[in-house]
Amino acid sequence: MNNVCAKVIRAENVNFFYGQTQALKNINMQICANQVTAIIGPSGCGKSTFIRLINRMNELIPHARLEGKIYLDQQDITDPSVDPSEIRKMVGMVFQKPNPFPKTIYENISYGLEVNGIRDKYFIEEKVIDALKKAALWEEVKNRLRDNALKLSGGQQQRLCIARALAVEPKVILFDEPCASLDPISTGKIEELILQLKENYTIVIVTHNMQQAARVSDFTAFFLLGELIEFGKTQEIFTAPKDKRTEDYITGRFG
Ligand SMILES: Nc1ncnc2c1ncn2[C@@H]1O[C@H](COP(=O)(O)OP(=O)(O)O)[C@@H](O)[C@H]1O
Ligand SMILES: [Mg+2]
């Protein structure tokens, strides 16, 4: 299936609980470098929970508990001795609703660099410009870098959030339904961008939109009630699913 690619993320026997509720059930999954992996499945099946584990975002939730391991390259990122902020530098995240800081366009990107201890303002400026270019936003904002980011359209705000994630040079970018609040044109731009980004990053995208998964992803994972039902090449999942439940979902019979 995907045995020839380099595995950047490996989830091994992952179970996750919110108190008594088990949100993930024995997930084993490997994610290929420089590929787009889509996670699909009906609401509440654990998609967000799973990707939030990849950058240690679930651990502040009271009574939440993880079993199993997640490796980023060779490092077990579930190890409590690993600093979550180190993981988040390597694993960026973009959310369903664009969430820029209520600061200038420029500061939205420079902030993360400053937090990481970078002081050289020329270096920071270079990185800001570079991140905006990589996020396909530069041409639209180059003359208004000091404007408040909240003045941007939703689609531009989402690309700004992508630029913000890119600026700290992650290895992996997690997208949790990044187009859910966007119009079709803005959605198209984000999809195009994701296809460009996979050259340099490993991408995991949660999406409700089956066409989107088919358009942007190389691999697809189908989750149902906390279980990974089927995982494989996107083309195979969409044309010849092996599991009846996958078939029912992709043909719109439920979800
Ligand atoms: N912070 C939380 N506290 C308690 N239960 C949660 C929390 N977040 C999610 N859940 C539950 O975990 C399950 C999986 O949720 P989630 O990962 O958000 O699903 P999805 O992203 O596929 O819609 C759901 O039953 C949801 O209600
Ligand atoms: Mg979700």
Side-chain angles (χ1 to χ4, degrees):
M1 188 174 63
N2 60 334
N3 42 3
V4 286
C5 72
K7 309 296 192 301
V8 174
I9 300 159
R10 287 180 292 131
E12 290 183 0
N13 306 320
V14 168
N15 290 287
F16 190 83
F17 304 83
Y18 296 103
Q20 303 296 320
T21 311
Q22 185 165 6
L24 293 172
K25 296 175 187 161
N26 198 37
I27 306 292
N28 285 282
M29 186 165 149
Q30 304 196 336
I31 292 172
C32 286
N34 297 94
Q35 301 279 280
V36 179
T37 298
I39 300 183
I40 62 169
S43 233
C45 68
K47 305 180 297 296
S48 296
T49 300
F50 180 69
I51 66 166
R52 286 198 306 254
L53 288 174
I54 305 173
N55 76 346
R56 296 267 301 256
M57 289 249 310
N58 282 334
E59 64 191 30
L60 295 175
I61 299 168
H63 312 296
R65 183 163 61 86
L66 170 72
E67 288 171 0
K69 293 197 183 308
I70 297 178
Y71 293 91
L72 179 62
D73 291 326
Q74 301 316 314
Q75 186 177 26
D76 173 12
I77 62 168
T78 64
D79 189 319
S81 71
V82 176
D83 179 353
S85 66
E86 286 303 310
I87 300 303
R88 289 179 202 138
K89 268 189 229 168
M90 294 186 279
V91 184
M93 185 142 182
V94 175
F95 298 87
Q96 182 165 347
K97 202 168 161 293
N99 60 348
F101 307 127
K103 289 171 175 272
T104 68
I105 293 169
Y106 188 95
E107 288 164 338
N108 260 274
I109 300 170
S110 62
Y111 180 77
L113 299 165
E114 285 160 10
V115 165
N116 285 334
I118 298 170
R119 292 285 168 265
D120 180 342
K121 69 178 191 208
Y122 297 104
F123 180 80
I124 290 176
E125 188 177 310
E126 232 171 72
K127 287 283 172 196
V128 169
I129 295 170
D130 183 54
L132 288 168
K133 285 183 176 166
K134 283 182 181 153
L137 188 58
W138 173 245
E139 287 304 323
E140 289 159 67
V141 301
K142 63 183 178 190
N143 298 319
R144 50 186 298 204
L145 296 174
R146 301 292 167 190
D147 276 7
N148 193 302
L150 301 178
K151 284 194 199 161
L152 297 171
S153 73
Q156 289 172 327
Q157 289 188 16
Q158 196 61 308
R159 278 178 284 141
L160 182 64
C161 293
I162 295 172
R164 182 174 67 184
L166 296 178
V168 295
E169 297 181 358
K171 223 180 146 78
V172 176
I173 310 173
L174 309 172
F175 289 89
D176 196 348
E177 301 193 43
C179 303
S181 68
L182 304 182
D183 62 76
I185 292 175
S186 305
T187 297
K189 286 186 184 161
I190 302 277
E191 289 182 3
E192 205 179 303
L193 182 56
I194 287 171
L195 289 172
Q196 285 168 21
L197 291 173
K198 76 172 185 180
E199 207 173 301
N200 296 304
Y201 306 89
T202 298
I203 292 173
V204 184
I205 177 172
V206 170
T207 177
H208 255 109
N209 180 330
M210 238 84 71
Q211 286 78 23
Q212 178 166 75
R215 283 191 297 265
V216 303
S217 73
D218 303 287
F219 293 93
T220 295
F222 172 57
F223 277 56
L224 185 63
L225 298 170
E227 280 181 75
L228 174 57
I229 303 296
E230 191 165 349
F231 176 67
K233 289 210 167 109
T234 295
Q235 210 197 346
E236 287 165 18
I237 295 282
F238 281 92
T239 57
K242 292 189 177 68
D243 194 291
K244 175 82 168 57
R245 292 165 293 180
T246 314
E247 185 181 346
D248 286 350
Y249 183 71
I250 61 170
T251 54
R253 252 167 280 187
F254 69 93

